[in-house]
Each structure stands twice: as structure tokens, then as C-alpha cells.
Amino acid sequence: MKTIVLSPTETIPNSPLPLLVLPGAIAPAEADADAVTALFENNGWQGTWVYTVFRYWHYHVEGHEVLACVRGDATVGFGGDGGAAIEMQPGDVVIIPAGVGHKRLSGSAGFQVVGAYPPGQNGAITKAGDLALEQAAKKISGLPLPGRDPVTGEAPGSIACWRD
């Protein structure tokens, strides 16, 4: 697991919690949309969906998010221009703290991820610059940390570093 802390930009709050990058967290042969959806839901994460990653900077103030690549490959940016660029292929997972900006920088036409959120949270989209950073930070500060790892189901699993 790799952790990346991303500082705020002028239009994206980012988070003091690190982005969690888990290459190969799911065996590529098991990185099927239905199987990953069931995995996340069985581990208590909800609001699952299958799609790509938008090609514009956005973040979430109403939920932390997990993304698992299930088809194709892409480079996904995190943190805004000048932030981190993460290569994703089937089986790779990122756990994104609320407020961390992300967008697809490039990728294959068939690139798909499964996304999900902790209980009671959701992925309402805020485009970079649409919300004052102070307002975003206030909304994010009220979110509880996830209780379980979306991939392993362990409590707290890979998100233990968010509690330190």
C-alpha cells in the first residue's frame, strides 16, 4: 500500500488524510464488476456503481470513496494539477478521502471502475471551484471515518492509518 497526502489547491480542498493506493489488491482474474460490487457491499460499503472516472476535476464532500479498476487501464490524477498521477489496471484499488480531487487523465476506451461509499455516505459530485474551500472543509469534517476496509472487510484494515 502506498499513501499520498495531497495539499489543498485554490479550488480543491484535498485532505490531511492520505490517499490510499493498493495496487493489485484484487486478483485481476477476480476483478469483475459484479464480483467487486458484491465484495464492497459484503464489506459494508454501499451506493455501488460501475462506470469510468470523469475527465474533469471533482471531489466529494458527502463521502469517502473507493474505486477498483475492473476493465481497461487509465492514468487517474489525484489532488489537482501537479498532484499525483496513478496508473490503474484491473485489480488496482484507491481509497479516496472526502475532499481529494480526482479525474481521469488518460486511458483506454473501455476503462471501468466500481465505486462505493461507507454506510450513510454518498458520492455527490462537487466540481473544482464550485464550492468555497471553507464550506467544503466544514461539510467534510462531519463525516465519520469508515469502520471497515472495503476490500478485506477488516476493521479498520488499510484505513487504520486514517485513525493514527
Side-chain angles (χ1 to χ4, degrees):
M1 178 174 75
K2 180 178 182 179
T3 61
I4 303 170
V5 176
L6 298 155
S7 299
T9 71
E10 290 183 11
T11 59
I12 300 172
N14 287 312
S15 176
L17 300 174
L19 172 73
L20 307 178
V21 181
L22 298 91
I26 299 168
E30 297 171 16
D32 161 270
D34 291 336
V36 173
T37 296
L39 175 71
F40 289 164
E41 290 174 354
N42 290 339
N43 291 333
W45 288 57
Q46 43 84 53
T48 53
W49 52 269
V50 180
Y51 194 57
T52 188
V53 176
F54 294 123
R55 293 189 61 96
Y56 55 84
W57 288 114
H58 66 284
Y59 59 91
H60 310 289
V61 297
E62 297 180 15
H64 304 291
E65 182 175 46
V66 60
L67 300 178
C69 179
V70 294
R71 196 171 89 192
D73 58 80
T75 301
V76 179
F78 293 94
D81 294 334
I86 305 297
E87 302 289 329
M88 293 189 75
Q89 58 190 6
D92 293 345
V93 174
V94 290
I95 304 174
I96 309 167
V100 170
H102 47 290
K103 80 173 188 177
R104 180 169 39 98
L105 301 174
S106 64
S108 64
F111 174 69
Q112 284 190 330
V113 295
V114 173
Y117 310 92
Q121 298 182 19
N122 70 74
I125 293 171
T126 302
K127 290 183 179 180
D130 279 0
L131 188 63
L133 295 185
E134 301 78 29
Q135 287 179 287
K138 184 176 180 181
K139 288 185 174 201
I140 292 166
S141 69
L143 291 174
L145 295 177
R148 303 179 73 76
D149 185 299
V151 177
T152 67
E154 295 174 8
S158 63
I159 54 175
C161 66
W162 287 4
R163 300 181 187 293
D164 294 340

